[in-house]
Amino acid sequence: MEDSYKHRGMRRSLVKILKTKGITDNGVLQAISKIPRHFFFDNALLGHAYQDKAFPIGEGQTISQPFTVAFQTEKLEISPQDKVLEIGTGSGYQACVLVEMGANVYTIEYNKVLYERTRKFLPKMGYRPKFFCGDGSKGLPRYAPYDKIIVTAGAPSVPSSLIKQLSVGGVLIIPVGDNEKQKMLKITKVEDKKLKKEEFDYFSFVPLLGDEGWGK
């Protein structure tokens, strides 16, 4: 796994693109500038690694578009040592961004093949979030509450389990909609039974599978 001057230059170009699209959080931009995204691609596909687009990774899943990763992460407002639950490990790229920003990351993946692949691969890059395999639509109650929760798959509605596992003052970022497109929601737990909801643009994610997602 080589990270050359050329690769670093491609990352700088990607960061410039993200800035023109409205990403302003320096922590997010610095994390993306550091993580060798091409490590997630086969050698024959390296030309795609630093384009601002999603790309298939097998098992019907994708590595998310860099702008989508940056947008969701920026809305989370990550602070160092935040306890973050990520629903949908996938390739692991989003988890790397969170770890790079100093978060304490718990990440859960529904697909066992992806879980095993990513659990073995990320430590080779130096990233060690806490990996779990299971139904992320129900969260990870064993380690709750969480300061931040990020869902990287499209949900039909906001899972009540995730709201319960959010600490007071915590933030949940989740795309909600149908199988075609989802609206990005930011839900802040102002008090134990008081939520603040903000809505942003539409995105297109793979479906959130599980009991509180699209079923099995």
Side-chain angles (χ1 to χ4, degrees):
M1 296 194 292
E2 182 193 8
D3 188 28
S4 68
Y5 180 79
K6 178 183 177 182
H7 293 129
R8 294 192 291 274
M10 292 167 80
R11 285 204 293 282
R12 285 193 292 271
S13 296
L14 175 59
V15 166
K16 286 179 183 175
I17 290 170
L18 297 179
K19 285 181 178 178
T20 65
K21 290 188 172 185
I23 303 300
T24 59
D25 187 312
N26 279 329
V28 174
L29 294 169
Q30 284 175 13
I32 287 173
S33 75
K34 287 180 183 176
I35 298 166
R37 194 169 184 260
H38 62 282
F39 286 2
F40 295 89
F41 289 72
D42 292 335
N43 285 336
L45 302 169
L46 287 184
H48 298 277
Y50 295 110
Q51 295 178 21
D52 189 26
K53 65 180 184 182
F55 203 81
I57 58 170
E59 300 296 312
Q61 306 293 305
T62 61
I63 181 171
S64 292
Q65 177 184 359
F67 173 73
T68 303
V69 172
F71 186 89
Q72 283 196 288
T73 310
E74 183 170 73
K75 296 305 177 195
L76 273 182
E77 299 176 24
I78 294 292
S79 297
Q81 302 307 314
D82 269 350
K83 187 178 180 182
V84 181
L85 174 62
E86 178 194 27
I87 311 298
T89 311
S91 69
Y93 180 70
Q94 172 73 75
C96 290
V97 172
L98 295 168
V99 171
E100 190 68 59
M101 294 180 71
N104 184 14
V105 181
Y106 295 72
T107 182
I108 183 167
E109 172 57 48
Y110 187 87
N111 184 290
K112 287 183 180 178
V113 174
L114 283 181
Y115 161 75
E116 289 293 348
R117 184 196 303 169
T118 306
R119 180 179 66 87
K120 293 170 184 173
F121 177 63
L122 290 199
K124 293 177 183 176
M125 293 177 61
Y127 295 101
R128 293 176 175 82
K130 296 168 185 68
F131 295 98
F132 300 87
C133 186
D135 184 353
S137 73
K138 297 190 289 190
L140 198 60
R142 196 183 341 165
Y143 299 99
Y146 303 95
D147 301 311
K148 311 284 167 64
I149 300 177
I150 179 172
V151 181
T152 63
S157 59
V158 179
S160 60
S161 293
L162 300 187
I163 298 293
K164 287 176 188 170
Q165 292 169 41
L166 198 61
S167 61
V168 173
V171 173
L172 164 65
I173 298 291
I174 180 170
V176 174
D178 56 29
N179 282 324
E180 298 288 318
K181 63 179 183 177
Q182 304 88 32
K183 181 165 276 194
M184 195 70 73
L185 304 182
K186 176 180 180 178
I187 297 170
T188 305
K189 198 171 196 176
V190 182
E191 296 170 9
D192 202 30
K193 304 216 172 179
K194 183 180 178 183
L195 303 174
K196 175 187 174 185
K197 185 169 85 170
E198 300 169 73
E199 297 185 356
F200 300 98
D201 292 342
Y202 282 98
F203 290 80
S204 182
F205 283 81
V206 296
L208 175 69
L209 300 178
D211 290 349
E212 293 189 49
W214 288 101
K216 300 175 184 177

PDB file of all heavy atoms in Angstrom, residues 154-177:
ATOM      1  N   GLY A 154     -29.989   4.415   3.894  1.00  0.00           N
ATOM      2  CA  GLY A 154     -31.286   5.095   3.875  1.00  0.00           C
ATOM      3  C   GLY A 154     -32.341   4.346   4.670  1.00  0.00           C
ATOM      4  O   GLY A 154     -32.574   3.154   4.467  1.00  0.00           O
ATOM      5  N   ALA A 155     -33.014   5.047   5.583  1.00  0.00           N
ATOM      6  CA  ALA A 155     -34.022   4.442   6.451  1.00  0.00           C
ATOM      7  C   ALA A 155     -35.433   4.885   6.029  1.00  0.00           C
ATOM      8  O   ALA A 155     -35.623   6.002   5.543  1.00  0.00           O
ATOM      9  CB  ALA A 155     -33.769   4.846   7.896  1.00  0.00           C
ATOM     10  N   PRO A 156     -36.447   4.019   6.234  1.00  0.00           N
ATOM     11  CA  PRO A 156     -37.827   4.420   5.942  1.00  0.00           C
ATOM     12  C   PRO A 156     -38.364   5.413   6.963  1.00  0.00           C
ATOM     13  O   PRO A 156     -39.263   6.200   6.682  1.00  0.00           O
ATOM     14  CB  PRO A 156     -38.592   3.093   5.990  1.00  0.00           C
ATOM     15  CG  PRO A 156     -37.780   2.200   6.869  1.00  0.00           C
ATOM     16  CD  PRO A 156     -36.349   2.610   6.665  1.00  0.00           C
ATOM     17  N   SER A 157     -37.808   5.393   8.172  1.00  0.00           N
ATOM     18  CA  SER A 157     -38.182   6.317   9.248  1.00  0.00           C
ATOM     19  C   SER A 157     -37.031   6.335  10.246  1.00  0.00           C
ATOM     20  O   SER A 157     -36.084   5.553  10.127  1.00  0.00           O
ATOM     21  CB  SER A 157     -39.483   5.866   9.929  1.00  0.00           C
ATOM     22  OG  SER A 157     -39.325   4.562  10.454  1.00  0.00           O
ATOM     23  N   VAL A 158     -37.123   7.214  11.222  1.00  0.00           N
ATOM     24  CA  VAL A 158     -36.054   7.292  12.223  1.00  0.00           C
ATOM     25  C   VAL A 158     -36.251   6.190  13.267  1.00  0.00           C
ATOM     26  O   VAL A 158     -37.273   6.172  13.959  1.00  0.00           O
ATOM     27  CB  VAL A 158     -36.042   8.674  12.916  1.00  0.00           C
ATOM     28  CG1 VAL A 158     -34.944   8.731  13.974  1.00  0.00           C
ATOM     29  CG2 VAL A 158     -35.859   9.794  11.901  1.00  0.00           C
ATOM     30  N   PRO A 159     -35.311   5.258  13.386  1.00  0.00           N
ATOM     31  CA  PRO A 159     -35.460   4.182  14.382  1.00  0.00           C
ATOM     32  C   PRO A 159     -35.519   4.738  15.807  1.00  0.00           C
ATOM     33  O   PRO A 159     -34.650   5.504  16.222  1.00  0.00           O
ATOM     34  CB  PRO A 159     -34.200   3.333  14.176  1.00  0.00           C
ATOM     35  CG  PRO A 159     -33.777   3.606  12.765  1.00  0.00           C
ATOM     36  CD  PRO A 159     -34.102   5.061  12.557  1.00  0.00           C
ATOM     37  N   SER A 160     -36.556   4.315  16.543  1.00  0.00           N
ATOM     38  CA  SER A 160     -36.712   4.807  17.917  1.00  0.00           C
ATOM     39  C   SER A 160     -35.551   4.365  18.804  1.00  0.00           C
ATOM     40  O   SER A 160     -35.174   5.068  19.752  1.00  0.00           O
ATOM     41  CB  SER A 160     -38.039   4.320  18.502  1.00  0.00           C
ATOM     42  OG  SER A 160     -38.089   2.905  18.510  1.00  0.00           O
ATOM     43  N   SER A 161     -34.954   3.209  18.489  1.00  0.00           N
ATOM     44  CA  SER A 161     -33.827   2.713  19.291  1.00  0.00           C
ATOM     45  C   SER A 161     -32.653   3.682  19.258  1.00  0.00           C
ATOM     46  O   SER A 161     -31.943   3.856  20.255  1.00  0.00           O
ATOM     47  CB  SER A 161     -33.362   1.349  18.777  1.00  0.00           C
ATOM     48  OG  SER A 161     -34.349   0.366  18.990  1.00  0.00           O
ATOM     49  N   LEU A 162     -32.433   4.318  18.101  1.00  0.00           N
ATOM     50  CA  LEU A 162     -31.304   5.241  17.985  1.00  0.00           C
ATOM     51  C   LEU A 162     -31.542   6.510  18.804  1.00  0.00           C
ATOM     52  O   LEU A 162     -30.608   7.050  19.409  1.00  0.00           O
ATOM     53  CB  LEU A 162     -31.064   5.598  16.511  1.00  0.00           C
ATOM     54  CG  LEU A 162     -30.740   4.414  15.589  1.00  0.00           C
ATOM     55  CD1 LEU A 162     -30.354   4.914  14.198  1.00  0.00           C
ATOM     56  CD2 LEU A 162     -29.634   3.546  16.165  1.00  0.00           C
ATOM     57  N   ILE A 163     -32.782   6.968  18.829  1.00  0.00           N
ATOM     58  CA  ILE A 163     -33.115   8.141  19.659  1.00  0.00           C
ATOM     59  C   ILE A 163     -32.861   7.824  21.131  1.00  0.00           C
ATOM     60  O   ILE A 163     -32.283   8.628  21.866  1.00  0.00           O
ATOM     61  CB  ILE A 163     -34.589   8.561  19.450  1.00  0.00           C
ATOM     62  CG1 ILE A 163     -34.839   8.978  17.992  1.00  0.00           C
ATOM     63  CG2 ILE A 163     -34.976   9.678  20.414  1.00  0.00           C
ATOM     64  CD1 ILE A 163     -34.133  10.235  17.555  1.00  0.00           C
ATOM     65  N   LYS A 164     -33.273   6.636  21.553  1.00  0.00           N
ATOM     66  CA  LYS A 164     -33.100   6.239  22.955  1.00  0.00           C
ATOM     67  C   LYS A 164     -31.626   6.171  23.333  1.00  0.00           C
ATOM     68  O   LYS A 164     -31.256   6.454  24.472  1.00  0.00           O
ATOM     69  CB  LYS A 164     -33.745   4.867  23.193  1.00  0.00           C
ATOM     70  CG  LYS A 164     -35.254   4.883  23.214  1.00  0.00           C
ATOM     71  CD  LYS A 164     -35.783   3.466  23.351  1.00  0.00           C
ATOM     72  CE  LYS A 164     -37.305   3.465  23.174  1.00  0.00           C
ATOM     73  NZ  LYS A 164     -37.830   2.084  23.050  1.00  0.00           N
ATOM     74  N   GLN A 165     -30.773   5.777  22.383  1.00  0.00           N
ATOM     75  CA  GLN A 165     -29.351   5.582  22.682  1.00  0.00           C
ATOM     76  C   GLN A 165     -28.518   6.852  22.539  1.00  0.00           C
ATOM     77  O   GLN A 165     -27.302   6.834  22.755  1.00  0.00           O
ATOM     78  CB  GLN A 165     -28.793   4.476  21.779  1.00  0.00           C
ATOM     79  CG  GLN A 165     -29.365   3.117  22.118  1.00  0.00           C
ATOM     80  CD  GLN A 165     -29.040   2.053  21.096  1.00  0.00           C
ATOM     81  OE1 GLN A 165     -27.928   1.983  20.577  1.00  0.00           O
ATOM     82  NE2 GLN A 165     -30.022   1.212  20.771  1.00  0.00           N
ATOM     83  N   LEU A 166     -29.182   7.957  22.211  1.00  0.00           N
ATOM     84  CA  LEU A 166     -28.494   9.245  22.069  1.00  0.00           C
ATOM     85  C   LEU A 166     -28.477   9.963  23.414  1.00  0.00           C
ATOM     86  O   LEU A 166     -29.492  10.025  24.108  1.00  0.00           O
ATOM     87  CB  LEU A 166     -29.246  10.085  21.029  1.00  0.00           C
ATOM     88  CG  LEU A 166     -28.547  11.273  20.381  1.00  0.00           C
ATOM     89  CD1 LEU A 166     -27.305  10.836  19.615  1.00  0.00           C
ATOM     90  CD2 LEU A 166     -29.521  11.978  19.440  1.00  0.00           C
ATOM     91  N   SER A 167     -27.325  10.492  23.795  1.00  0.00           N
ATOM     92  CA  SER A 167     -27.250  11.237  25.057  1.00  0.00           C
ATOM     93  C   SER A 167     -27.910  12.607  24.899  1.00  0.00           C
ATOM     94  O   SER A 167     -28.075  13.110  23.782  1.00  0.00           O
ATOM     95  CB  SER A 167     -25.793  11.405  25.478  1.00  0.00           C
ATOM     96  OG  SER A 167     -25.076  12.125  24.495  1.00  0.00           O
ATOM     97  N   VAL A 168     -28.302  13.198  26.011  1.00  0.00           N
ATOM     98  CA  VAL A 168     -28.879  14.549  25.962  1.00  0.00           C
ATOM     99  C   VAL A 168     -27.813  15.504  25.433  1.00  0.00           C
ATOM    100  O   VAL A 168     -26.661  15.489  25.878  1.00  0.00           O
ATOM    101  CB  VAL A 168     -29.370  14.990  27.355  1.00  0.00           C
ATOM    102  CG1 VAL A 168     -29.800  16.453  27.334  1.00  0.00           C
ATOM    103  CG2 VAL A 168     -30.526  14.101  27.805  1.00  0.00           C
ATOM    104  N   GLY A 169     -28.199  16.304  24.449  1.00  0.00           N
ATOM    105  CA  GLY A 169     -27.245  17.177  23.770  1.00  0.00           C
ATOM    106  C   GLY A 169     -26.612  16.510  22.564  1.00  0.00           C
ATOM    107  O   GLY A 169     -25.873  17.142  21.808  1.00  0.00           O
ATOM    108  N   GLY A 170     -26.916  15.225  22.373  1.00  0.00           N
ATOM    109  CA  GLY A 170     -26.323  14.466  21.274  1.00  0.00           C
ATOM    110  C   GLY A 170     -27.004  14.718  19.942  1.00  0.00           C
ATOM    111  O   GLY A 170     -28.108  15.264  19.869  1.00  0.00           O
ATOM    112  N   VAL A 171     -26.335  14.292  18.867  1.00  0.00           N
ATOM    113  CA  VAL A 171     -26.801  14.535  17.498  1.00  0.00           C
ATOM    114  C   VAL A 171     -26.868  13.224  16.724  1.00  0.00           C
ATOM    115  O   VAL A 171     -25.939  12.407  16.778  1.00  0.00           O
ATOM    116  CB  VAL A 171     -25.862  15.517  16.763  1.00  0.00           C
ATOM    117  CG1 VAL A 171     -26.242  15.644  15.290  1.00  0.00           C
ATOM    118  CG2 VAL A 171     -25.877  16.885  17.429  1.00  0.00           C
ATOM    119  N   LEU A 172     -27.980  13.041  16.006  1.00  0.00           N
ATOM    120  CA  LEU A 172     -28.162  11.910  15.094  1.00  0.00           C
ATOM    121  C   LEU A 172     -28.282  12.451  13.677  1.00  0.00           C
ATOM    122  O   LEU A 172     -29.088  13.341  13.413  1.00  0.00           O
ATOM    123  CB  LEU A 172     -29.429  11.136  15.460  1.00  0.00           C
ATOM    124  CG  LEU A 172     -30.006  10.162  14.418  1.00  0.00           C
ATOM    125  CD1 LEU A 172     -29.044   9.006  14.158  1.00  0.00           C
ATOM    126  CD2 LEU A 172     -31.367   9.636  14.867  1.00  0.00           C
ATOM    127  N   ILE A 173     -27.451  11.920  12.767  1.00  0.00           N
ATOM    128  CA  ILE A 173     -27.550  12.264  11.345  1.00  0.00           C
ATOM    129  C   ILE A 173     -28.020  11.012  10.611  1.00  0.00           C
ATOM    130  O   ILE A 173     -27.378   9.958  10.702  1.00  0.00           O
ATOM    131  CB  ILE A 173     -26.185  12.707  10.770  1.00  0.00           C
ATOM    132  CG1 ILE A 173     -25.682  13.969  11.485  1.00  0.00           C
ATOM    133  CG2 ILE A 173     -26.283  12.959   9.259  1.00  0.00           C
ATOM    134  CD1 ILE A 173     -26.468  15.215  11.205  1.00  0.00           C
ATOM    135  N   ILE A 174     -29.140  11.138   9.881  1.00  0.00           N
ATOM    136  CA  ILE A 174     -29.712   9.966   9.220  1.00  0.00           C
ATOM    137  C   ILE A 174     -30.456  10.363   7.948  1.00  0.00           C
ATOM    138  O   ILE A 174     -31.212  11.339   7.956  1.00  0.00           O
ATOM    139  CB  ILE A 174     -30.657   9.212  10.192  1.00  0.00           C
ATOM    140  CG1 ILE A 174     -31.263   7.973   9.529  1.00  0.00           C
ATOM    141  CG2 ILE A 174     -31.739  10.120  10.759  1.00  0.00           C
ATOM    142  CD1 ILE A 174     -32.005   7.058  10.491  1.00  0.00           C
ATOM    143  N   PRO A 175     -30.242   9.626   6.843  1.00  0.00           N
ATOM    144  CA  PRO A 175     -31.031   9.860   5.639  1.00  0.00           C
ATOM    145  C   PRO A 175     -32.331   9.057   5.691  1.00  0.00           C
ATOM    146  O   PRO A 175     -32.302   7.843   5.911  1.00  0.00           O
ATOM    147  CB  PRO A 175     -30.113   9.367   4.503  1.00  0.00           C
ATOM    148  CG  PRO A 175     -29.156   8.415   5.148  1.00  0.00           C
ATOM    149  CD  PRO A 175     -29.155   8.655   6.621  1.00  0.00           C
ATOM    150  N   VAL A 176     -33.467   9.732   5.497  1.00  0.00           N
ATOM    151  CA  VAL A 176     -34.777   9.081   5.609  1.00  0.00           C
ATOM    152  C   VAL A 176     -35.582   9.326   4.337  1.00  0.00           C
ATOM    153  O   VAL A 176     -35.683  10.463   3.861  1.00  0.00           O
ATOM    154  CB  VAL A 176     -35.552   9.603   6.848  1.00  0.00           C
ATOM    155  CG1 VAL A 176     -36.964   9.043   6.881  1.00  0.00           C
ATOM    156  CG2 VAL A 176     -34.819   9.228   8.127  1.00  0.00           C
ATOM    157  N   GLY A 177     -36.175   8.255   3.802  1.00  0.00           N
ATOM    158  CA  GLY A 177     -36.988   8.394   2.597  1.00  0.00           C
ATOM    159  C   GLY A 177     -37.349   7.032   2.036  1.00  0.00           C
ATOM    160  O   GLY A 177     -37.518   6.064   2.775  1.00  0.00           O
TER     161      GLY A 177
END
